[in-house]
Amino acid sequence: MNKKWWKEAVVYQVYPRSFKDSNNDGIGDLRGIIEKIDHLDQLGVDAVWLNPVYKSPNDDNGYDISDYQAIMDEFGTVEDLEELMELLHQRNIKLIMDLVLNHSSDEHQWFKESRQSKDNPYRDYYIWRDGKNGGPPNNWKAFFGGSAWKYDQKTDQYYLHLFSPKQPDLNWENPKVREEIYEMINWWLEKGVDGFRLDVINLISKDQRFPDGKKEGLAGHEYFANGPRVHEFIKEMAANTFNKYEAMTVGETPFVDKEEAIKFVKEEREEFSMVIPFEHLEFDRKEGWDKITDWDLTELKDLMSEWQYKLQENNGWTSLYFCNHDQPRIVSRYGDDGKYRKESAKMLGTMLHTLRGTPFIYQGEEIGMTNISFDSLTDFDDIETRGYIKELQEKDQLTQKEILEIANYRTRDNARTPMHWNDSKYAGFSESEPWLKMNSNYPEINVEKDLSSDDSVFKYYQKMISLRKKYPVFAYGKYDILLEADQNIYAYQRQGEQNNLLVLLNFSENDADYDLNDQLEIKQAELILNNYQKEADFELKSSLRPYEARVYLY
Ligand code: TEU
Ligand code: CA
């Protein structure tokens, strides 16, 4: 096992639009992040990942880029970014940028040219096809609803967009596109950026026959996810860019299971440092976005274990996360955002910081922020939610109230409401009305409050992060599951060179008994982390309190 800084790191994700607004226009910005570096430093994180800050018309909040080498007007300037990077580096915090390479904005110069004529030099920068039988070239569906093809009158052809029509897919088959992309990446690396998170990077190679999709789920995904040349393209890109700088790379990879994951992250293959898995967040949406399903802890345990074993056996690495800008708040999903908010937020955090991989904390998670509840369908900003609402209204099987309930549970806006810094109006995020509604619970849940209380979620995260730094077993220890069939408790050990960890996590709102006598022979162990004030002695047979998390060192 090779040691790497990013295997020992904890990453903090900043969604710039909602982190801190420095000039009171209601929108978070780069100077706002600069104002809050102390918060990151205090928490103890090693790297910051910024969601896209490039020039963009914001059809999908920055994931539609119109200029890869300029900063979005509302966020600031390239100089602001350089200053932020410099200040982070002074505190030994690395900067990870987001790279959106599967698609650009339709307002990018390349696309403006491309749509002009069939013989424009930029035509093949995008994916254009003739229609079929008066409709689109095939049945592929877009992630945000509807067909993945959009008809363009000017040249009487369709272009492919796996996301919104304002996000046309780039044509990676064209070597000129690849060269331009590599040049742009190197421009950022030369500025000193330490790594990248690569948006839906496993979608860049499409099956060039463009057949109709036949599998269940998003139509066509078997032909555009993990496509024929995906590893060839990634190897070429890595060799020409990241690997020359030893940059950290995080591939975002929907439709990837543990077998596919290995192909991206097995160290010897020199593709990515790690991937962003999805399967562990799909338990409550197995039957689709519009149906909330019950789930079972043993399923989550099995899945996490399979990934853990597969990766450690194959010398591969992964990111560990529950929250990001696309996911509703985890405490409202797998935890309890009422009575046991603090306990369950800490317990879920413990899982992320004690498994084998690199933990990613999403802004607000460190204070246990919860989902929001909008009163009206018109409150939603998220383009994905608006797409689904439209589809559900057209299907006409659910009432407006039912649609509102589902949208509130699912919406990505849950993660995107402004950060809670204190209990003043607009929570210290801004002095003007924010771009998205605030969660009304900010007077109870905010950073200032957490800093002044000993048993806050923030203080617990701080402790967890410092423990990871102190004991290499957190990063490098071998994973083994315990109490495999238990329905309430997720238990595992990590075996390191100097010490071992025993982790016990109660996912239920009741006390849960356990007996490890058959599985472990430990007499003494030190409790190094516990989310209850009154700490428990070490016993092989005992009971956990509701949402209790314990980490023992031995
Ligand atoms: O997300 C890709 C992706 O898979 C999401 O669409 C995800 O399936 C969905 O949001 C879950 O509800 C990335 C970005 O993280 C996302 O913000 C962008 O909208 C998307 O790519 C397009 O760039
Ligand atoms: Ca601002």
Side-chain angles (χ1 to χ4, degrees), residues 421-432:
W421 295 104
N422 56 42
D423 63 6
S424 68
K425 196 175 182 196
Y426 306 130
F429 164 72
S430 175
E431 281 166 25
S432 316

Side-chain angles (χ1 to χ4, degrees), residues 20-29 74:
K20 169 71 191 168
D21 174 17
S22 71
N23 61 348
N24 295 315
D25 62 354
I27 299 171
D29 45 57
E74 296 153 330

Side-chain angles (χ1 to χ4, degrees), residues 60 71 73 78 92 96 98 121 153 281 297 302 337 357 366 405 409 413 428 432:
D60 183 18
I71 300 292
D73 295 333
V78 173
N92 275 323
I96 312 295
D98 216 313
Q153 203 148 26
L281 289 166
L297 179 65
D302 286 349
D337 61 9
E366 77 279 26
E405 197 179 319
Y409 182 77
D413 288 335
S432 316

Side-chain angles (χ1 to χ4, degrees), residues 328-393:
R329 296 282 177 181
I330 201 64
V331 66
S332 302
R333 277 177 86 178
Y334 294 179
D336 170 3
D337 61 9
K339 184 171 174 201
Y340 294 113
R341 182 185 68 86
K342 280 204 247 171
E343 288 80 0
S344 63
K346 293 174 187 174
M347 186 278 287
L348 291 162
T350 311
M351 176 176 148
L352 295 185
H353 288 77
T354 54
L355 286 169
R356 185 180 169 282
T358 301
F360 280 59
I361 301 169
Y362 177 70
Q363 65 184 47
E365 184 179 342
E366 77 279 26
I367 54 169
M369 277 177 68
T370 65
N371 280 356
I372 191 176
S373 188
F374 290 136
D375 308 322
S376 152
L377 289 174
T378 54
D379 285 339
F380 294 92
D381 170 84
D382 168 21
I383 184 170
E384 179 182 72
T385 311
R386 286 190 278 120
Y388 278 110
I389 290 175
K390 191 161 159 265
E391 263 189 35
L392 290 173
Q393 286 173 331

Side-chain angles (χ1 to χ4, degrees), residues 514-531:
Y514 66 88
D515 186 350
L516 285 158
N517 278 300
D518 293 342
Q519 296 188 286
L520 290 177
E521 280 178 38
I522 316 165
K523 295 220 167 49
Q524 280 288 313
E526 182 196 348
L527 186 67
I528 55 169
L529 191 64
N530 189 198
N531 60 350

